Amino acid sequence: MRWSQLYAPTLREDPADADAVSHRLLVRGGFVRQLMAGHYSLLPLAVRVRSKIVDIIREEMTRIGAQEFVLPALHPAEIWQRSGRWEVMGEEMFRLRDRKGADLALGMTHEEIFTVLSQELRSYRDLPQIWYQFQTKFRDEARPKSGLLRVREFTMKDAYSFDVEATGLDRAFDLHRGAYERIFARLGLPAVAVQASSGSMGGSASVEFMCPSEAGEDLVVRCPECGYAANTEKATSALPEVTDGPGPDTPERFATPDARTIDELARLHGVPAERQIKTLVYAVDGRLTLVLLRGDHTLVEQKLVDTLGATAVRPATPEEIQAALGASPGSLGAVGVPAGLPVVADESLRGRTSMSTGANTDGFHLRGVAVERDIAVRQWADLREVSTGEPCPDCGAGLEVVRTIEVGHIFKLGRKYTETLGVSVLGPEGDRVVPVMGSYGIGVERALAAVVETHHDEQGMVWPVAIAPFEVAVVVLGKGDVQVTEAAETLYAELRRERIDVLLDDRDERPGVKFRDVELVGIPFRVTVGARGLANGTVEITTRAGGETRTVPLSDAVGHIRGLVTAAG
């Protein structure tokens, strides 16, 4: 490719609305342009990178025996209604009606559609199967941001495994985990496999692949000593044991007219946050539920959803709270509440005594509360968010919390979809068997952006050779010089014959403009062909990562570049 023919509208200034590094550089480098919030056009440079990412994923999927499909992006509502996810997906699902009035959806994911295809499987002899595709997905994000990291339209590699029994699913899950580790290594992404919630996908096991980055929106808890790692929606820690005094025989009421928060009760009445019971009220599938945590802890809503197997969870309104408990937020507690209000408590409160909580009367609290004596807890669960420094549940070392980008996610779905959608095969004993499923996803454009987040410097992007838009840029200095032009053209042709992905910068631009563009675009190697070097029979070869420049005889340039590309790839 010649740069004079390439459409790469590079910019000298950062776009005003770009927050993440990848957003800023992909716009500046002429890789993407925004059409509207959450929707981006990929320009030729981005398409080249995307194609190489897809090729790597496809190679690794083929390696584990997967077969590629292409399924529709537009789905009939009836299939999603049968699985129960038409309602669960809520406002994130794009819904529409065709001219005949039929309800349709733009696919957020394809579990249901692949499961419908699997209805043609007849016998256990047809299994196992691993099917996958690259398809556009649509999610109506409330706040799309950070360029390609949070969008409303994107490409997903989604794969699905079908097996006769759980041991087959375990094997498929392990195959995908290994494939994902190889994929992210080849992409140059330092992705870490962490325990995660299955969320609306369902299933028994879930692992996310998370790339550390300040641009990420997910928090991962990890142990630097033993390797424990989990998304905050799944993470736990080993809290130190607390020894409480016996306290009074019954809770004691005391006036707190000026304390409506955990901090105010601690500051004005000397009740430390760790000795308070925080009472939250949630509507869980339409039913009010009390959620109890220690005063210094924070609820992870996904943990509540997973614990209760809920479809819809939201904080109760002040009006709902007043009607149910007779008090305002800030004076709430679970002591003596009506039996019709279920209480779910965090494990950190189990066995605690001499605690304080709201009295369900505005301006009053209770002290001397023994949780298991005074509160009818219906269910105990790990509900709290883990904080930096808390002990690792496996080895006791201090945990750290890291901001990350989710680049991949694998699930053990079990029989959630095959049972619901009526899939069965003839088993080895002649009976009908419902296959078990797994689901495995990688966001292609998000992976592209994550690479930029982890491979850049002040000058621009620094692409790994395996997915760079071009491996080498041959930069011509002095376009009017016939000898320079001929040498550059010859080198360009020889590199192409060696099947090296090369870009010839034949533009009539100043050297500084050409160098800046090559650095901004992030091409791994630059060959500079100029009159001064040619007078000595040499060219300069610069490595983008690190900026090292070597002078090489022109006759050795192709072999030298081939060696650099091979070593880096």
Side-chain angles (χ1 to χ4, degrees):
M1 172 63 71
R2 298 173 182 272
W3 205 313
S4 60
Q5 299 171 341
L6 175 68
Y7 184 68
T10 59
L11 305 175
R12 293 290 162 248
E13 302 295 331
D14 290 339
D17 61 341
D19 47 3
V21 170
S22 59
H23 187 190
R24 172 168 58 83
L25 291 178
L26 288 170
V27 172
R28 274 194 60 203
F31 284 69
V32 302
R33 289 294 184 266
Q34 180 174 294
L35 177 63
M36 56 181 173
H39 298 264
Y40 283 84
S41 300
L42 302 187
L43 307 189
L45 288 173
V47 169
R48 295 180 70 87
V49 175
R50 179 186 178 279
S51 295
K52 292 181 179 183
I53 293 173
V54 166
D55 287 345
I56 287 173
I57 296 172
R58 183 176 281 125
E59 287 173 11
E60 294 298 340
M61 294 303 295
T62 299
R63 181 174 171 179
I64 64 171
Q67 302 167 80
E68 187 170 355
F69 289 58
V70 178
L71 275 58
L74 190 63
H75 303 165
E78 184 268 337
I79 297 175
W80 285 79
Q81 288 164 347
R82 285 172 60 194
S83 74
R85 293 207 298 174
W86 182 257
E87 294 77 18
V88 170
M89 290 305 187
E91 295 181 351
E92 284 195 354
M93 177 179 278
F94 281 102
R95 305 161 199 265
L96 64 155
R97 286 182 176 170
D98 65 13
R99 65 180 64 194
K100 298 180 180 179
D103 287 320
L104 305 169
L106 292 175
M108 301 174 64
T109 182
H110 277 69
E111 279 76 13
E112 284 85 352
I113 313 306
F114 269 98
T115 304
V116 167
L117 279 181
S118 76
Q119 290 172 344
E120 294 192 51
L121 296 169
R122 297 296 178 222
S123 166
Y124 72 97
R125 293 188 179 88
D126 296 332
L127 301 175
Q129 293 285 336
I130 299 176
W131 299 344
Y132 79 101
Q133 66 170 347
F134 295 94
Q135 179 57 283
T136 304
K137 311 290 185 183
F138 300 88
R139 295 183 185 174
D140 193 1
E141 288 279 359
R143 293 174 298 278
K145 58 177 291 190
S146 301
L148 299 182
L149 292 177
R150 186 199 270 189
V151 291
R152 305 202 302 172
E153 178 180 356
F154 57 96
T155 308
M156 177 74 74
K157 187 288 300 177
D158 51 324
Y160 306 87
S161 62
F162 298 86
D163 289 273
V164 175
E165 55 191 6
T167 55
L169 174 56
D170 292 343
R171 176 180 176 276
F173 193 83
D174 290 342
L175 283 173
H176 280 86
R177 180 165 182 157
Y180 277 35
E181 289 170 351
R182 293 190 297 272
I183 288 166
F184 296 128
R186 292 178 66 182
L187 297 183
L189 282 174
V192 179
V194 308
Q195 300 173 31
S197 165
S198 296
S200 61
M201 301 288 286
S204 61
S206 173
V207 170
E208 290 175 336
F209 291 83
M210 310 298 279
C211 179
S213 170
E214 285 303 312
E217 294 188 324
D218 289 286
L219 295 176
V220 164
V221 176
R222 67 183 183 186
C223 177
E225 297 296 328
C226 72
Y228 170 82
N231 190 302
T232 51
E233 295 178 347
K234 195 77 173 178
T236 187
S237 65
L239 285 181
E241 290 188 11
V242 179
T243 302
D244 297 324
D249 292 336
T250 58
E252 298 174 350
R253 181 178 168 121
F254 65 108
T256 54
D258 46 4
R260 290 189 170 273
T261 67
I262 299 292
D263 289 342
E264 287 172 348
L265 191 63
R267 178 169 49 86
L268 299 174
H269 297 275
V271 183
E274 61 269 22
R275 300 205 64 82
Q276 298 182 44
I277 301 172
K278 181 189 297 184
T279 304
L280 306 175
V281 185
Y282 273 78
V284 178
D285 291 335
R287 184 182 186 184
L288 291 189
T289 300
L290 303 189
V291 182
L292 309 184
L293 297 104
R294 213 170 75 180
D296 58 336
H297 290 163
T298 301
L299 173 69
V300 177
E301 284 194 10
Q302 187 61 51
K303 287 187 176 183
L304 180 64
V305 171
D306 293 344
T307 294
L308 300 178
T311 298
V313 169
R314 63 168 175 81
T317 65
E319 294 75 19
E320 289 172 327
I321 293 171
Q322 184 73 40
L325 297 173
S328 305
S331 299
L332 303 180
V335 176
V337 297
L341 282 175
V343 177
V344 182
D346 184 69
E347 287 286 354
S348 64
L349 292 174
R350 191 189 288 268
R352 296 300 304 274
T353 61
S354 199
M355 301 289 284
S356 293
T357 189
N360 287 329
T361 302
D362 288 348
F364 288 89
H365 280 73
L366 299 174
R367 59 178 154 229
V369 175
V371 177
E372 293 178 74
R373 180 193 68 192
D374 301 320
I375 299 174
V377 176
R378 178 173 297 185
Q379 188 169 354
W380 296 91
D382 172 27
L383 301 172
R384 64 182 181 83
E385 183 176 279
V386 173
S387 299
T388 298
E390 292 181 1
C392 172
D394 292 343
C395 73
L399 294 168
E400 57 185 19
V401 180
V402 182
R403 188 167 294 279
T404 61
I405 300 167
E406 179 190 337
V407 291
H409 204 162
I410 59 178
F411 302 84
K412 289 184 180 179
L413 296 177
R415 296 181 171 85
K416 172 182 172 69
Y417 297 94
T418 46
E419 282 183 347
T420 303
L421 296 175
V423 179
S424 66
V425 298
L426 187 65
E429 306 300 326
D431 54 346
R432 303 302 298 180
V433 176
V434 177
V436 290
M437 286 180 64
S439 176
Y440 318 90
I442 293 176
V444 176
E445 290 85 12
R446 179 179 283 190
L448 183 155
V451 172
V452 178
E453 291 290 339
T454 53
H455 295 272
H456 69 271
D457 58 21
E458 292 183 359
Q459 284 71 48
M461 293 163 273
V462 186
W463 291 105
V465 169
I467 59 171
F470 295 94
E471 295 166 334
V472 180
V474 175
V475 177
V476 185
L477 301 186
K479 190 176 179 182
D481 189 313
V482 175
Q483 286 186 320
V484 170
T485 300
E486 288 181 353
E489 290 281 356
T490 300
L491 183 57
Y492 171 61
E494 290 177 350
L495 289 169
R496 292 187 66 190
R497 279 196 293 273
E498 291 289 328
R499 308 185 74 83
I500 291 173
D501 202 357
V502 58
L503 175 65
L504 177 65
D505 192 348
D506 58 342
R507 296 175 296 168
D508 188 12
E509 291 283 2
R510 301 187 310 276
V513 171
K514 293 188 174 188
F515 292 159
R516 283 196 298 271
D517 277 347
V518 172
E519 290 179 333
L520 174 61
V521 169
I523 299 174
F525 304 106
R526 184 186 79 216
V527 184
T528 304
V529 183
R532 183 180 301 176
L534 283 183
N536 299 315
T538 63
V539 294
E540 289 184 348
I541 299 178
T542 302
T543 301
R544 176 68 182 85
E548 178 189 1
T549 297
R550 295 189 61 183
T551 300
V552 177
L554 178 60
S555 58
D556 297 339
V558 172
H560 188 80
I561 294 166
R562 186 196 312 114
L564 290 173
V565 170
T566 300

